[in-house]
Amino acid sequence: MQKTVVSGIRPTGNLHLGNYYGAMVNFIKMQEENRCFFFIADWHSLTTHPDPTMLHSNVKNVLAEYIACGLDPQKATIYIQSDIKEIAELYLLLNMHAYLGELEKTVSFKDKARKNPNNVNAGLLTYPVLMATDILVHNADFVPVGKDQEQHLEMTRNYAQRFNNKYGTDFFTLPQPFNFGQELIKIPGLDGSGKMGKSEGNAIYLIDEPKDIEKKVKRALTDSGVTEFNQPKPDYIENLFTIMKVVSSPDVVQHFDDLWNRAEIRYGDLKKQLAEDIIKTTAPIRSKINDIKANDEFLSRIIEEGADKARQSASKTIKEVRKLMGVR
Ligand code: TYM
């Protein structure tokens, strides 16, 4: 039976390899056989108060990047979150079932609050409720995301279950995280840190020129080299292998792994191969992005058609939720 799939990306900049392998690769495959909703989470990005002009152009960039990666508006519903006002209403209603204690314990909240102590706003606190709304508003079965979103998904299931229990219904489906490779993926940064991210400044973007990709990979953190056989890899070297596992063929990964185990690896060769294989993935996408971005009329049409389709689905849900909660 056809499953409902929902996922989104914040328009805080261009898409990077983490977004691509954590989310986009799954979006593209899933649109073939499922009822898919893929959106641009512009309300979510407001928690960090982006420059309004930048936000507007980032929404357009990400939409062009979605299409260039292979998302097809004929197959999936592609829309901008803020076009669907039903989401704001459902967010308000679900907030009544989200408790302060659990919101304060969310890892992403604690992390952002620590990094930006002067901007711990209520939108940041209730970020997981808005994300749950995005998913529940279409009653999703599956949510293709990277590993960083696992906790948010767990909270979404809690809210769905809590709502169902409270109103004696089975209206909300409990959505599952999804990755075609089974395990949720985390693409690391090039600076030895755990996660590739826009705000971490350690990302390779789909739009990057080949020479910039070469430069970034060349600068990735390494050390003076391994001198003994079969040593465990330090995190920053393991990270390069993790990226290699998604962009390169298994025999290339095996080759460098063998060199590592024989203590014969030359980081220069590893990086050259890694850059080459990243460019193989990104180059065809990059050229499409630039063509699509130039076509405003085409983008506007996709936005309008996507909003119509998403609104139809969201308004069915909100009508039912109002009824269940007793709101006329
Ligand atoms: P965002 O915008 O940070 O990232 C979008 C998608 O990319 C994945 N991702 C990664 N995957 C693997 N390794 C990485 N280094 C990496 N960085 C990002 C994320 O897991 C995500 O799938 N809260 C979400 C946006 C959102 C959403 C939703 C997603 C809002 N509502 C409803 C799914 C369903 C976010 O900030 O993702």
Side-chain angles (χ1 to χ4, degrees):
M1 204 181 81
Q2 212 188 26
K3 296 291 183 190
T4 299
V5 178
V6 174
S7 199
I9 297 187
R10 279 172 303 140
T12 43
N14 296 104
L15 297 191
H16 54 68
L17 282 187
N19 299 136
Y20 187 70
Y21 287 103
M24 291 307 295
V25 165
N26 291 299
F27 291 9
I28 296 155
K29 287 191 194 163
M30 292 184 111
Q31 70 182 351
E32 295 303 328
E33 298 196 342
N34 302 288
R35 174 176 175 257
C36 288
F37 295 90
F38 299 125
F39 66 96
I40 297 172
D42 55 344
W43 275 335
H44 271 109
S45 65
L46 291 174
T47 55
T48 55
H49 306 164
D51 175 87
T53 321
M54 285 297 290
L55 176 58
H56 191 75
S57 64
N58 279 339
V59 169
K60 187 177 145 191
N61 283 346
V62 172
L63 181 64
E65 291 179 345
Y66 266 19
I67 311 290
C69 284
L71 280 197
D72 182 346
Q74 303 296 327
K75 295 177 181 163
T77 299
I78 301 168
Y79 64 98
I80 298 170
Q81 183 187 39
S82 62
D83 276 339
I84 314 301
K85 307 306 178 209
E86 287 79 357
I87 293 175
E89 182 178 344
L90 184 59
Y91 168 57
L92 181 149
L93 297 174
L94 285 182
N95 262 316
M96 309 306 165
H97 298 286
Y99 295 108
L100 182 62
E102 63 194 3
L103 289 170
E104 280 176 336
K105 273 192 258 157
T106 315
V107 174
S108 58
F109 173 73
K110 287 198 293 192
D111 197 39
K112 294 230 162 92
R114 189 169 39 81
K115 287 187 187 145
N116 296 300
N118 297 325
N119 184 26
V120 186
N121 61 62
L124 189 65
L125 182 72
T126 57
Y127 185 109
V129 188
L130 182 53
M131 180 154 160
T133 305
D134 292 326
I135 297 165
L136 299 178
V137 82
H138 303 299
N139 243 330
D141 299 290
F142 291 115
V143 185
V145 281
K147 192 157 179 55
D148 57 320
Q149 301 297 321
E150 212 170 15
Q151 190 183 26
H152 291 151
L153 251 305
E154 197 183 307
M155 294 173 81
T156 304
R157 281 194 298 280
N158 285 344
Y159 296 140
Q161 185 72 70
R162 190 175 291 161
F163 183 96
N164 287 352
N165 290 346
K166 176 82 188 163
Y167 298 103
T169 173
D170 58 0
F171 179 69
F172 281 130
T173 307
L174 307 194
Q176 301 300 321
F178 187 87
N179 184 280
F180 269 99
Q182 312 252 319
E183 297 261 308
L184 295 189
I185 282 184
K186 183 171 85 174
I187 302 295
L190 292 172
D191 53 355
S193 80
K195 178 184 153 184
M196 181 175 286
K198 291 161 233 189
S199 46
E200 283 78 356
N202 61 9
I204 292 183
Y205 295 94
L206 299 179
I207 191 88
D208 279 347
E209 300 270 347
K211 64 178 185 338
D212 294 324
I213 295 178
E214 281 163 8
K215 252 192 243 160
K216 285 182 180 180
V217 175
K218 224 182 237 174
R219 282 202 304 260
L221 183 67
T222 49
D223 51 29
S224 56
V226 59
T227 52
E228 287 175 45
F229 287 2
N230 297 321
Q231 288 300 301
K233 300 184 189 88
D235 286 352
Y236 48 90
I237 301 295
E238 191 66 61
N239 284 354
L240 298 181
F241 274 87
T242 303
I243 302 178
M244 193 169 235
K245 279 182 201 145
V246 293
V247 293
S248 307
S249 62
D251 49 311
V252 167
V253 181
Q254 189 63 52
H255 169 70
F256 282 98
D257 208 41
D258 291 344
L259 288 174
W260 170 270
N261 286 327
R262 296 202 303 267
E264 287 171 13
I265 198 161
R266 292 200 320 213
Y267 293 138
D269 295 343
L270 173 82
K271 287 176 169 179
K272 189 160 172 277
Q273 181 75 49
L274 184 59
E276 210 173 278
D277 291 340
I278 292 174
I279 292 165
K280 250 189 231 155
T281 303
T282 57
I285 300 176
R286 185 171 58 94
S287 72
K288 281 191 203 146
I289 294 172
N290 291 326
D291 290 347
I292 295 169
K293 262 200 325 209
N295 195 343
D296 266 331
E297 209 179 300
F298 171 66
L299 289 175
S300 304
R301 202 172 61 236
I302 289 175
I303 290 172
E304 259 176 55
E305 289 173 1
D308 280 348
K309 284 199 273 176
R311 215 172 279 128
Q312 271 179 31
S313 158
S315 66
K316 272 197 205 135
T317 304
I318 196 72
K319 270 188 203 134
E320 195 60 33
V321 171
R322 281 185 205 137
K323 208 163 31 169
L324 285 163
M325 289 184 80
V327 181
R328 283 190 49 137

